[in-house]
Amino acid sequence: MKKIVLTGIKPTGRLTLGNYIGVLKNLKNFQDEFEPYIFVADLHALTLPIEPEELNTNTKDIVAFYLASGLDMNKSHIFLQSMVSAHAELNAIMMNYLYMGELSRMTQFKQKSHLMNESAIGLGLFSYPVLMACDIILYDADIVPVGEDQVQHVELTRDLVRRFNSRYKTDILKEPKAVVNTTGKRIMSLSDPTKKMSKSDPKGDIYLKDDEKTIRKKIMSAVTDSGCEVKFDKENKPGISNLLTIYSALKNITVEEAEQEFKGCNYGTFKKAVADAVVNELIPFQQKYNEIINSNLVDEALNLGAEKAKVIANKKLQQVQRIIGLYETKK
Ligand code: TYM
């Protein structure tokens, strides 16, 4: 039996080069060896305020991006979290096995809630990792490819699995493993390379739908240090290090190889090469996206993927319901 790979993207805001390099770009490589379950975490998008039209458009976009990245709907099961009700049903159960203390220690919760008025923080933002754990558990995922910022949530899922299995003396839940890229697990903002590139930072982001001119402009004006050597040094040269990471991830080479390529080059020449690499990657990707978004492939993929996902997820949900003692009537 093939091992299961699973991951999801939340449709909040426009997807960035960080999402692309961190996860999207590599998903197609799992298709032959693994059985992929790839979804849009649309319920998770509600954890922060979002307009209905935006949620709707972003969701469709992510599915089109999945397909444009090379995912084949006949090999990868692509679906929306909200299409498979078992996610929400298992969430109602698993909420009781993760604790307030551990949820309040999650970095993402601390960062997001820190910017908000406490009385306006939704319960969903706090319990976010419970639903994420359910997303993973339902499919017996072996590996979960994510960017570095999501590793903590996968670790918490592992804790939950161990706790649950030990409480009920069972092994019905599988411990997943987070997998991060060697290069590109954390792409930084172009305007502040000490911060992660995130969906809500127009100056520091490259969006997957940015046109060529915008991409070039953003990279040429990326913040760098005052030196002149193209060298990977996260401490002292965070801007150059970030651009080296972007370049090597897109060219599928190591950072050392990229450093070697730009030995003796000035920042201008280097930045132009990075801009070329991004443009050469994203423009053909956008063309594929445009073909897909204007066809009925998105709905086709979702209907197909959700049908399969529902069967697998419902089976796991039923196993959990039985083992915890929920009463089942005879048919
Ligand atoms: P989300 O939507 O914030 O991000 C989607 C994926 O992109 C990665 N990522 C990055 N990688 C490298 N550099 C960056 N600057 C960067 N920014 C984002 C994220 O790590 C993520 O892998 N909670 C998840 C969605 C989710 C999920 C799941 C993922 C819900 N359930 C189950 C895996 C398994 C999230 O908000 O990702």
Side-chain angles (χ1 to χ4, degrees), residues 265-326:
C265 284
N266 61 30
Y267 283 0
T269 314
F270 169 56
K271 280 179 161 179
K272 179 161 179 317
V274 178
D276 286 344
V278 177
V279 165
N280 289 340
E281 182 87 14
L282 290 192
I283 301 302
F285 175 73
Q286 290 174 1
Q287 282 160 354
K288 284 191 209 133
Y289 159 85
N290 284 327
E291 282 166 26
I292 293 161
I293 205 82
N294 293 314
S295 72
N296 56 4
L297 284 173
V298 166
D299 286 5
E300 214 178 292
L302 288 178
N303 289 331
L304 189 67
E307 199 183 328
K308 168 79 180 179
K310 275 180 201 168
V311 175
I312 303 297
N314 285 335
K315 230 188 241 171
K316 183 59 61 178
L317 175 65
Q318 200 179 38
Q319 277 183 318
V320 170
Q321 288 170 330
R322 276 188 189 145
I323 212 149
I324 62 174
L326 297 188

Side-chain angles (χ1 to χ4, degrees), residues 194-331:
T194 61
K195 282 206 296 216
K196 188 190 78 159
M197 186 183 279
S198 69
K199 292 171 195 151
S200 51
D201 171 21
K203 273 205 219 134
D205 279 345
I206 291 191
Y207 293 114
L208 297 190
K209 286 195 194 168
D210 278 347
D211 60 28
E212 176 169 351
K213 202 169 143 208
T214 311
I215 295 174
R216 290 193 183 278
K217 195 168 155 213
K218 284 182 179 173
I219 293 184
M220 293 314 284
S221 49
V223 168
T224 47
D225 59 278
S226 55
C228 60
E229 205 187 348
V230 180
K231 199 170 170 313
F232 191 87
D233 176 351
K234 250 182 164 173
E235 277 285 289
N236 303 307
K237 288 172 169 282
I240 288 293
S241 302
N242 190 35
L243 293 176
L244 270 169
T245 304
I246 292 174
Y247 184 83
S248 40
L250 294 180
K251 293 278 188 181
N252 293 316
I253 58 175
T254 63
V255 168
E256 293 75 29
E257 284 167 330
E259 271 180 337
Q260 206 55 34
E261 200 175 319
F262 296 104
K263 222 173 184 174
C265 284
N266 61 30
Y267 283 0
T269 314
F270 169 56
K271 280 179 161 179
K272 179 161 179 317
V274 178
D276 286 344
V278 177
V279 165
N280 289 340
E281 182 87 14
L282 290 192
I283 301 302
F285 175 73
Q286 290 174 1
Q287 282 160 354
K288 284 191 209 133
Y289 159 85
N290 284 327
E291 282 166 26
I292 293 161
I293 205 82
N294 293 314
S295 72
N296 56 4
L297 284 173
V298 166
D299 286 5
E300 214 178 292
L302 288 178
N303 289 331
L304 189 67
E307 199 183 328
K308 168 79 180 179
K310 275 180 201 168
V311 175
I312 303 297
N314 285 335
K315 230 188 241 171
K316 183 59 61 178
L317 175 65
Q318 200 179 38
Q319 277 183 318
V320 170
Q321 288 170 330
R322 276 188 189 145
I323 212 149
I324 62 174
L326 297 188
Y327 185 75
E328 249 180 306
T329 56
K330 291 199 179 61
K331 299 268 157 55

Side-chain angles (χ1 to χ4, degrees), residues 49-204:
I50 185 163
E51 289 304 317
E53 308 79 57
E54 199 196 337
L55 175 58
N56 207 273
T57 312
N58 291 347
T59 300
K60 192 174 172 196
D61 267 357
I62 295 180
V63 179
F65 286 141
Y66 280 148
L67 294 168
S69 76
L71 288 185
D72 173 346
M73 67 172 94
N74 295 305
K75 292 182 181 168
S76 297
H77 313 297
I78 303 172
F79 58 98
L80 309 182
Q81 196 179 35
S82 63
M83 289 173 95
V84 184
S85 59
H87 290 244
E89 291 178 71
L90 188 64
N91 185 49
I93 293 173
M94 289 304 164
M95 271 201 221
N96 303 298
Y97 302 86
L98 279 172
Y99 306 137
M100 306 266 288
E102 51 199 359
L103 291 173
S104 60
R105 282 194 294 275
M106 291 292 110
T107 309
Q108 188 169 305
F109 173 71
K110 283 198 279 189
Q111 280 169 349
K112 296 208 163 151
S113 58
H114 179 69
L115 304 169
M116 299 166 74
N117 180 339
E118 199 174 324
S119 58
I121 301 172
L123 197 52
L125 185 66
F126 183 66
S127 62
Y128 185 112
V130 184
L131 180 57
M132 179 158 164
C134 296
D135 298 337
I136 299 171
I137 287 170
L138 280 172
Y139 302 90
D140 278 343
D142 294 283
I143 64 165
V144 183
V146 281
E148 198 177 46
D149 62 321
Q150 294 299 322
V151 171
Q152 196 182 32
H153 292 157
V154 182
E155 290 301 320
L156 190 66
T157 306
R158 290 164 65 88
D159 293 343
L160 171 65
V161 167
R162 284 195 290 265
R163 187 173 299 158
F164 185 94
N165 283 348
S166 130
R167 161 76 178 81
Y168 293 100
K169 299 188 179 44
T170 177
D171 58 1
I172 58 164
L173 302 187
K174 185 166 223 173
E175 262 187 66
K177 196 167 176 283
V179 173
V180 293
N181 285 339
T182 347
T183 311
K185 59 182 184 229
R186 192 179 193 84
I187 300 298
M188 310 306 274
S189 159
L190 298 179
S191 58
D192 178 355
T194 61
K195 282 206 296 216
K196 188 190 78 159
M197 186 183 279
S198 69
K199 292 171 195 151
S200 51
D201 171 21
K203 273 205 219 134

